[in-house]
Amino acid sequence: MRPVIWVEGIIGCGKTTYATEVGKRLNLYLGGEPVQGNPFLDRFYKDKEKWSFPMQIFLLKERSKQQLHAATIAIGAGDWNGAILDR
């Protein structure tokens, strides 16, 4: 079994930097925060009340896909030594 590591913390504390560096050094799949291609991000910042729920559902769906991918890696698929997920 290969490890799956979750990196969590407040905004701006260095989660992405840390996860990226650890991932490179240990050859781990990096599941980053789903910012790229997020159709709700700009709308959310303009009107949080209206777009909070759709944004959270989108993030839940994307993180679920990442977790499934990380679980597949954990049981031995691919060339990774495990996974590190940036939350």
Side-chain angles (χ1 to χ4, degrees), residues 5-65:
I5 303 164
W6 283 89
V7 179
E8 297 194 31
I10 61 172
I11 290 174
C13 72
K15 297 178 302 289
T16 300
T17 302
Y18 176 79
T20 301
E21 190 59 35
V22 170
K24 277 191 241 176
R25 290 179 186 212
L26 301 179
N27 188 36
L28 303 174
Y29 160 75
L30 174 62
E33 190 72 40
V35 175
Q36 297 290 77
N38 184 330
F40 299 104
L41 201 55
D42 288 335
R43 290 182 248 181
F44 170 75
Y45 283 115
K46 289 177 183 164
D47 187 351
K48 291 179 183 167
E49 189 173 316
K50 180 177 181 179
W51 294 103
S52 292
F53 184 72
M55 170 84 149
Q56 288 302 314
I57 295 301
F58 173 80
L59 293 172
L60 178 65
K61 183 185 83 168
E62 293 303 307
R63 289 182 181 129
S64 175
K65 287 193 276 186

